Amino acid sequence: MLIIKLTVRSFLFCLLLLSSLSRAETINLAVPGPGSLVYLPVQLAVAVEADKAEGLDLKLRFFSGGPLALRDLSEHNSDFTVAGLPAIASARADKMPVLAIGQLSQAAMVSLILRKDLKGKVHNIAQLKGRRIGVNTSTRTARSTSQMLAEYLLNNAGLNADDVQIIPAGQTREAQRSALIGETVDAVMGDEPFATELASKNEASILLDLYNPQRSRELLGGPFVHAALATREDVFKEHRLVAVKVQHMFDKTLQWMNSHSAQEILDKLANQPGFDPQRNQILLSVMQRNPKMYPVQCAWDPKAILTTERFFHGMAADQAESSLHFSEFVRNASPEVRP
């Protein structure tokens, strides 16, 4: 009789569990990738089932740049996105009803990669004058963060955007490699682990690496928000609890990252798109030499907001961008927390 009771209880528990899972709310999230180190926490959230812990079912939609992911958000194909905070600001300045609700990085996570035949010929950014630089894809309503960072580096070297040709080069290993190998571009504002992989195969060389938070701070004047979580104003207003759950999902993901080694993180990502276990040794080396790329929670760092806002104003393309204050669109989903 006891065995029967236990069996019935187990059966009822399974039914309750299945019922709970069936009620999980589907969240469509647009993100550049897959396989980019910048947006690694997004794919890790799926891998460690941080979404399930919040009663969510996270579905990822991949794009070749933050502006394309933002367009997907604005067209209501997704309700959340993770993109570069400067790209989000650019979209907001163009009147897109987008709100940034959390940060997922604390460095300008890009590498400037040269075609292999230019190694030894181009020693600094100033020598890129007259050449073609590939960046993540922009749209009519938003410039990509990598494009703004490219323009920032050019300005620091005494050049401006008119001194080079800016070309969309995508945001995947295959797209960036193809652009370099096919000589569509002379250099790419690339993502890791693609940059280190290409350099290790002698298919390209790295001119500048900003994945190291200290190097990024020195160049930009403080901590920098690259990857940021965002949603539309209508979602934030009408489905605030869902926004809070998504924020908590990423808190759980970042905390999991903070308590596990780089190798354990990669082991979890083994079945995720863009994370090939055969290439993990390269990714592992990048993560180990840059251990503080990600925050421990997605609550805003006020210093990082100020640095990123100052950067954005310095790279403003028009009056709408130069007059935009980040306080107009930077929020926290939890009302008791202030940015």
Side-chain angles (χ1 to χ4, degrees):
M1 182 65 71
L2 179 60
I3 294 175
I4 293 174
K5 286 182 178 179
L6 288 174
T7 302
V8 171
R9 286 178 181 174
S10 298
F11 177 71
L12 290 174
F13 175 78
C14 289
L15 284 179
L16 287 171
L17 181 61
L18 288 171
S19 175
S20 173
L21 289 173
S22 68
R23 290 198 302 270
E25 183 156 8
T26 298
I27 299 297
N28 290 312
L29 186 148
V31 62
S36 169
L37 197 58
V38 181
Y39 303 103
L40 181 149
V42 178
Q43 291 187 254
L44 187 62
V46 176
V48 301
E49 298 188 340
D51 56 339
K52 303 295 189 293
E54 290 296 325
L56 305 173
D57 182 17
L58 184 61
K59 304 294 185 185
L60 303 182
R61 295 167 57 83
F62 294 109
F63 295 88
S64 62
L68 293 177
L70 283 161
R71 184 168 66 188
D72 192 69
L73 176 73
S74 71
E75 292 175 348
H76 291 234
N77 295 316
S78 55
D79 288 324
F80 293 88
T81 186
V82 175
L85 185 58
I88 294 170
S90 179
R92 178 75 185 195
D94 198 60
K95 303 188 184 307
M96 185 183 293
V98 61
L99 297 174
I101 61 173
Q103 72 176 75
L104 299 180
S105 69
Q106 51 190 10
M109 299 169 72
V110 293
S111 293
L112 182 55
I113 320 166
L114 291 174
R115 276 198 348 244
K116 69 174 183 178
D117 58 297
L118 295 178
K119 185 177 181 179
K121 298 178 182 177
V122 174
H123 302 94
N124 55 58
I125 294 170
Q127 292 177 329
L128 289 173
K129 184 175 182 178
R131 296 190 179 274
R132 298 157 298 173
I133 300 178
V135 299
N136 299 156
T137 307
S138 296
T139 65
R140 181 184 59 80
T141 57
R143 291 180 296 150
S144 68
T145 299
S146 78
Q147 179 176 337
M148 286 184 249
L149 284 167
E151 293 170 358
Y152 181 86
L153 294 175
L154 291 169
N155 287 353
N156 274 10
L159 305 177
N160 58 54
D162 294 333
D163 290 322
V164 301
Q165 186 178 355
I166 301 292
I167 297 175
Q171 197 157 359
T172 64
R173 174 188 292 105
E174 293 74 18
Q176 293 180 1
R177 180 181 183 276
S178 177
L180 286 167
I181 301 300
E183 299 189 6
T184 304
V185 298
D186 300 303
V188 166
M189 292 294 286
D191 297 326
E192 290 287 12
F194 317 144
T196 296
E197 180 181 329
L198 289 171
S200 70
K201 293 180 178 179
N202 198 33
E203 294 179 335
S205 63
I206 298 175
L207 185 63
L208 180 66
D209 177 5
L210 293 181
Y211 276 78
N212 182 281
Q214 183 59 39
R215 192 177 301 121
S216 177
R217 287 189 185 94
E218 291 171 357
L219 180 68
L220 297 167
F224 184 84
V225 183
H226 194 146
L229 173 65
T231 188
R232 292 190 312 276
E233 287 183 346
D234 64 289
V235 175
F236 190 80
K237 180 180 179 180
E238 298 169 16
H239 303 281
R240 185 67 166 269
L241 181 58
V242 175
V244 170
K245 287 183 176 182
V246 173
Q247 191 180 57
H248 288 173
M249 174 188 73
F250 282 116
D251 280 337
K252 285 181 169 64
T253 304
L254 293 169
Q255 289 159 11
W256 191 95
M257 292 180 71
N258 192 53
S259 62
H260 290 76
S261 68
Q263 184 62 64
E264 289 171 322
I265 292 170
L266 293 180
D267 289 343
K268 273 292 182 182
L269 288 165
N271 295 320
Q272 289 296 309
F275 289 95
D276 185 348
Q278 295 182 345
R279 294 185 170 107
N280 274 0
Q281 197 58 41
I282 291 173
L283 184 51
L284 180 64
S285 69
V286 177
M287 294 177 70
Q288 288 177 335
R289 71 173 182 257
N290 302 301
K292 296 183 179 180
M293 295 179 289
Y294 308 103
V296 296
Q297 59 181 0
C298 66
W300 297 107
D301 174 358
K303 291 182 180 178
I305 292 293
L306 288 174
T307 303
T308 312
E309 182 178 42
R310 184 171 62 244
F311 163 84
F312 180 72
H313 287 158
M315 303 314 302
D318 52 37
Q319 179 61 31
E321 289 191 350
S322 63
S323 62
L324 178 71
H325 295 290
F326 276 30
S327 59
E328 297 175 31
F329 69 96
V330 171
R331 299 284 190 276
N332 271 293
S334 300
E336 69 274 9
V337 180
R338 298 292 178 187

